[in-house]
Amino acid sequence: MKNKYVMQSALLVFAFSGNFSVVANDSGFDDKVVVVTANRIQQDINDTLADVEVIERQDIEKIQPQSLTDLLVNISGIDFVQKGGHAQDTSIFVRGANSNQVLVLIDGVRVGSATLGQKSISDISTAQIERVEIVKGPRAALWGSDAIGGVIQVFTRRYLSGESRVGVMIGSNNTSEVDAAIGFGDEQLNSTITYSRKRSDGFDVRIDDELDDDGYQNDSLAIKGSYQLNSSNLFDWVLQGDKGESEFDTRYGGNVANYNNHFWNLRYIHATENWTNQVALKKSRDYTYSVGNAIDRENADAFETRREQYTYLTQATFSEEVSVTGGVEWIIDDIDRTTSDYAETRRESKSAQIGVNYIGNVILADLAIRYDDVQRVNNETSVNLGVGYRLAEEQLISLNYSEGFKAPTFNDLYYPYGGNPELVFELSENIELLYKGKIGVGRLSLSVYDSEVENLIQWVPDSNGVWAPQNVGEAKIQGADLTYSIRHDSYTHKLTASYTSAEDAATGQQLIRRAKNQYGYELGFVGDSFDGFVQLQHVGKRPDNDFQTYSRIMLDSYMRVNLGVGYQFDSNWKFQLKVNDAFDEAPIQVSGYHPIEREYYFTVSYQY
C-alpha cells in the first residue's frame, strides 16, 4: 500500500510539472526546489552540478513582466537587447554566446523556426508562464543542437480544480491585456484552460523616415491537463496556440509581421518504485509572413516550420545515490510550405543518450553522453562531465566540462539566394568552476568559466567574390557570474554581477551587442496586504555596428530602475502598479533603434 501512494505522488508530480519538475513553497532557503532542465531528471537544485536559476510564479507576479526579457533582468550571465519595443526582434546572449545558440523549450517542446534557427521570444505570453528554468553553459549531451550558451525552459500555468483567475492590465503606449484561467476536473482527471489577449499602439522603433508607431497584438490559448490511469500510469498533455502581429520599420518588404504558431505534447508515463519510463509525441508549427509597404497577403513571402518530435526517456534508480538515465529522440523538420524555393525542405535528426548521476554525502558526479545524427549535415558525440565536492552540508563546489553544437539552419544551407550545403556544425567546449552554498545569512552562487566556439557560420566572399555562409568564425569566451541572495523576515535582497569577455578570436574585439560588465540589485518586500520591489540594473558599454556609417561604435552604459507595488485588497482582489525605467534613462540597446522609455502599468486581478 505504501508503494502505491509513492507511485501516485510521483505521477502527480510529473503531471504538474509538464516535464519532471516540481517546486515546494519557497518561503525560506531550506525549502526544496526541484528542477528538470539540468539533467532531464528530477533533481534538488542544490544537487545539480550545473549553474541553474529558477524564476518562480511568485517572482513573475511581483515583476509584472511585459515580455520574457523582463524576467531576465538581473539574471547573472544573461544579456539581452531589443530593437525597440517589447514585441520587436530580441536577442538573448547567455554567457556571451550568440542569440541563436540558446535552446528555448516550452513544456519540453523544442519550439522556433528551422529557417531562422531560433524562437521569437516576444511571442511568448507572460500571463501563461508558471516558472522558468535557466541552465547556463553547453548542454548538448542532454538536449542536442542549439544548447551552446544554455537552455531556457518555460513551463506554462496549471490550476487545480476550482481555481480561477481574471486579470486586466492597462499601461503606457495604450497597452492593454486581459488574461483568464480556470482549472477543472478531479483527482484523476484534471485540466487547465488559460487565455490572454494583449495589444499596444507601441512607438516608432527605428530611427528613419518611417515616422509611425509600431504596435502589436497577441492572442494565446492553452489547454493543459493529466489523467491518472492508476497508481503507476499517467497521461498528460499540453496544447497551445499563439496568433498575432507586430509592426516594424524596414526599407525592404512588408512592415507588419504576422505569426500563427502552435504546439502540442502528448505524454505517457509509467513509474514503478525504481524505474520510470516516458514516451512523448510532440508537434509544433512556426508560421510567419509580412505584409504592408504595398505587399498584400496573397503576395507575401511565408515561412513555415512544421516539427515532429518523438521521445523516449527512461530512468533507473539503483540506490539513493545512483541513477542511470537514457533515451532516444527523433526530430523531423519540414519547411515544404515555405514559399521560397529551398533546395531541401525536410530534415531528420536522430539521437541516443545515456547518463549516470551519483549523489553522495560528500562526492557528487554527473556523466552524460549523446550521439546526434543530423541528416545531410554531420553527426556529433557530445559529453557533459561534472564532479562535485560538498565542503559542508550546504556548500558545494563543482568542476564541469561540457560540449555544445549547433546544426546549420535551412537558411544557412539551402536559402535560394546564398545557402551553402557544405556547412557543418558550430562546436563549443566549456570548462566551469562553480560554487554554491550558504554564506552568512544568504546564499551565494559563483561560477567562473572558459569557452571556445569554433566553426561559427559567417557570411564571407569566396575567391570569386561571391558572398555565402562559411564555417570560418571562432570565439573565445571567458567570464564569471555571481548571485547572492538574502531573505530576512519579509524582505529579500538579491545582488548579481557578471563579467563576460566574448571576443572574436581573429580580431580580439568584443562581439557586438554584448556588454562586458553587468551589475544588479533587487529589494523585495512581502507583507500581509502589501508587496513590492525595487530593481536596479547597470549595464556597461557594449559595441555595435552603425549601419549608416558602416563603422564600429560603442553604446553608452546605463542604469535602469524598475519599481513595483501590489495591494491585496482581500482574499480575491489584487491591485498592482509597475514603473519601468523610473528615471527615464531610455538606454539605446541597438544602434539605429529608439529605446523603450519610462513606462507605467496598472493591473487588477481576481483570483479564486
Side-chain angles (χ1 to χ4, degrees):
M1 182 65 70
K2 180 179 179 180
N3 287 344
K4 176 181 177 181
Y5 291 137
V6 170
M7 291 306 102
Q8 289 178 334
S9 300
L11 289 171
L12 285 173
V13 164
F14 301 153
F16 242 74
S17 70
N19 200 31
F20 289 145
S21 176
V22 66
V23 59
N25 180 12
D26 192 24
S27 60
F29 284 124
D30 293 333
D31 291 336
K32 188 176 184 180
V33 176
V34 178
V35 296
V36 58
T37 313
N39 288 308
R40 299 189 77 161
I41 60 173
Q42 291 185 89
Q43 280 188 299
D44 186 331
I45 193 171
N46 297 311
D47 293 334
T48 61
L49 302 183
D51 193 354
V52 184
E53 297 231 21
V54 178
I55 304 170
E56 306 289 4
R57 182 61 204 176
Q58 59 264 35
D59 301 319
I60 298 170
E61 292 182 354
K62 177 186 66 177
I63 294 171
Q64 306 168 51
Q66 293 301 304
S67 63
L68 179 61
T69 52
D70 278 358
L71 295 178
L72 304 179
V73 172
N74 291 343
I75 298 294
S76 63
I78 293 186
D79 194 3
F80 61 85
V81 295
Q82 294 172 287
K83 290 183 177 178
H86 297 291
Q88 301 299 318
D89 185 25
T90 301
S91 298
I92 296 178
F93 310 113
V94 180
R95 289 189 170 177
N98 291 337
S99 60
N100 63 358
Q101 295 174 335
V102 178
L103 176 60
V104 177
L105 305 165
I106 302 180
D107 287 324
V109 180
R110 178 184 288 261
V111 291
S113 166
T115 50
L116 288 177
Q118 62 188 79
K119 168 65 177 175
S120 175
I121 64 168
S122 60
D123 301 346
I124 301 174
S125 169
T126 56
Q128 294 178 319
I129 299 177
E130 181 70 32
R131 68 199 302 258
V132 182
E133 293 182 6
I134 302 164
V135 183
K136 305 169 195 174
R139 224 65 190 158
L142 282 305
W143 293 102
S145 179
D146 302 349
I148 286 180
V151 181
I152 297 176
Q153 179 157 207
V154 174
F155 296 90
T156 55
R157 300 220 63 186
R158 183 160 193 151
Y159 285 76
L160 296 175
S161 178
E163 292 182 336
S164 61
R165 169 194 158 89
V166 176
V168 177
M169 180 272 292
I170 57 173
S172 298
N173 301 315
N174 200 23
T175 300
S176 63
E177 182 176 23
V178 176
D179 70 272
I182 186 170
F184 57 93
D186 52 34
E187 293 182 358
Q188 187 175 24
L189 175 63
N190 183 274
S191 287
T192 299
I193 298 178
T194 58
Y195 171 76
S196 70
R197 178 179 178 83
K198 186 175 184 179
R199 67 165 307 277
S200 176
D201 288 347
F203 58 90
D204 185 26
V205 299
R206 186 165 178 173
I207 303 173
D208 59 10
D209 297 330
E210 194 173 337
L211 304 178
D212 63 334
D213 288 341
D214 298 302
Y216 60 91
Q217 66 179 39
N218 171 271
D219 287 270
S220 184
L221 175 68
I223 302 173
K224 191 172 187 177
S226 64
Y227 175 68
Q228 185 170 324
L229 197 62
N230 52 45
S231 62
S232 299
N233 297 278
L234 177 139
F235 291 92
D236 65 5
W237 57 85
V238 57
L239 301 89
Q240 180 165 321
D242 302 283
K243 183 178 182 180
E245 65 177 36
S246 176
E247 299 172 347
F248 60 100
D249 295 334
T250 181
R251 297 187 180 124
Y252 311 100
N255 60 2
V256 181
N258 291 262
Y259 60 89
N260 190 343
N261 306 330
H262 65 254
F263 74 87
W264 55 262
N265 183 359
L266 304 180
R267 189 174 58 156
Y268 164 70
I269 303 166
H270 174 75
T272 62
E273 187 172 5
N274 297 314
W275 193 20
T276 301
N277 294 278
Q278 63 165 308
V279 178
L281 309 179
K282 314 171 189 181
K283 286 194 176 184
S284 64
R285 179 206 194 206
D286 187 282
Y287 177 69
T288 62
Y289 65 91
S290 295
V291 296
N293 283 340
I295 298 175
D296 57 21
R297 175 66 186 88
E298 184 177 347
N299 297 306
D301 287 333
F303 296 87
E304 180 172 0
T305 297
R306 289 181 180 265
R307 177 174 293 134
E308 300 177 24
Q309 299 172 244
Y310 305 92
T311 304
Y312 167 71
L313 294 175
T314 184
Q315 179 185 0
T317 302
F318 293 96
S319 67
E320 293 184 358
E321 294 84 15
V322 180
S323 64
V324 176
T325 60
V328 293
E329 193 164 40
W330 181 25
I331 300 174
I332 304 170
D333 288 324
D334 190 330
I335 63 165
D336 184 61
R337 293 174 176 83
T338 295
T339 55
S340 297
D341 188 17
Y342 285 78
E344 298 285 349
T345 60
R346 189 177 189 274
R347 181 168 77 186
E348 297 184 11
S349 302
K350 300 176 182 179
S351 65
Q353 65 186 79
I354 188 169
V356 180
N357 300 93
Y358 175 79
I359 302 175
N361 293 328
V362 178
I363 302 296
L364 297 84
D366 287 338
L367 172 64
I369 302 173
R370 175 170 168 141
Y371 174 81
D372 286 86
D373 186 354
V374 180
Q375 187 179 21
R376 289 187 295 275
V377 180
N378 207 344
N379 55 69
E380 182 68 21
T381 300
S382 307
V383 175
N384 275 29
L385 175 63
V387 178
Y389 178 77
R390 294 193 196 276
L391 302 173
E393 183 179 355
E394 297 185 75
Q395 298 188 39
L396 174 67
I397 187 169
S398 64
L399 181 64
N400 300 289
Y401 170 80
S402 53
E403 298 174 342
F405 75 94
K406 178 175 177 58
T409 68
F410 278 86
N411 280 356
D412 295 329
L413 294 164
Y414 310 119
Y415 190 62
Y417 309 104
N420 177 7
E422 303 301 320
L423 293 173
V424 296
F425 297 142
E426 297 179 336
L427 300 172
S428 73
E429 291 185 306
N430 178 79
I431 296 177
E432 173 190 22
L433 183 64
L434 170 67
Y435 169 86
K436 52 186 176 183
K438 189 173 181 180
I439 299 291
V441 295
R443 285 198 178 272
L444 173 69
S445 173
L446 173 63
S447 61
V448 180
Y449 59 89
D450 187 302
S451 298
E452 292 188 1
V453 188
E454 60 183 17
N455 293 345
L456 285 169
I457 298 172
Q458 297 178 344
W459 280 76
V460 295
D462 62 17
S463 57
N464 297 318
V466 178
W467 288 76
Q470 304 283 349
N471 292 106
V472 295
E474 184 177 345
K476 294 185 179 297
I477 306 175
Q478 296 177 327
D481 305 331
L482 179 146
T483 302
Y484 185 63
S485 302
I486 300 173
R487 181 174 288 116
H488 179 68
D489 293 333
S490 300
Y491 295 90
T492 59
H493 304 265
K494 180 181 177 183
L495 293 167
T496 60
S498 300
Y499 171 78
T500 309
S501 174
E503 296 182 350
D504 185 316
T507 65
Q509 292 183 322
Q510 181 82 351
L511 299 178
I512 65 168
R513 299 177 185 167
R514 270 149 276 204
K516 276 194 173 183
N517 302 294
Q518 294 192 83
Y519 309 98
Y521 169 71
E522 186 173 310
L523 169 65
F525 169 79
V526 177
D528 293 334
S529 300
F530 282 96
D531 63 73
F533 76 98
V534 179
Q535 193 176 62
L536 285 73
Q537 178 198 26
H538 172 82
V539 178
K541 292 183 177 182
R542 69 173 90 231
D544 201 357
N545 291 328
D546 188 328
F547 291 102
Q548 292 182 329
T549 63
Y550 299 100
S551 61
R552 186 179 176 90
I553 60 174
M554 292 296 293
L555 300 179
D556 290 337
S557 62
Y558 61 86
M559 170 72 80
R560 280 170 52 98
V561 178
N562 304 321
L563 308 170
V565 63
Y567 175 66
Q568 192 76 42
F569 187 75
D570 58 25
S571 59
N572 303 116
W573 289 96
K574 187 171 186 178
F575 302 90
Q576 293 175 287
L577 175 66
K578 170 77 178 290
V579 183
N580 278 336
D581 195 10
F583 295 103
D584 205 15
E585 180 78 2
I588 295 177
Q589 295 184 336
V590 179
S591 175
Y593 289 84
H594 291 293
I596 300 176
E597 298 179 347
R598 181 168 51 211
E599 302 172 304
Y600 300 90
Y601 296 99
F602 177 69
T603 302
V604 179
S605 60
Y606 177 88
Q607 186 154 324
Y608 178 77

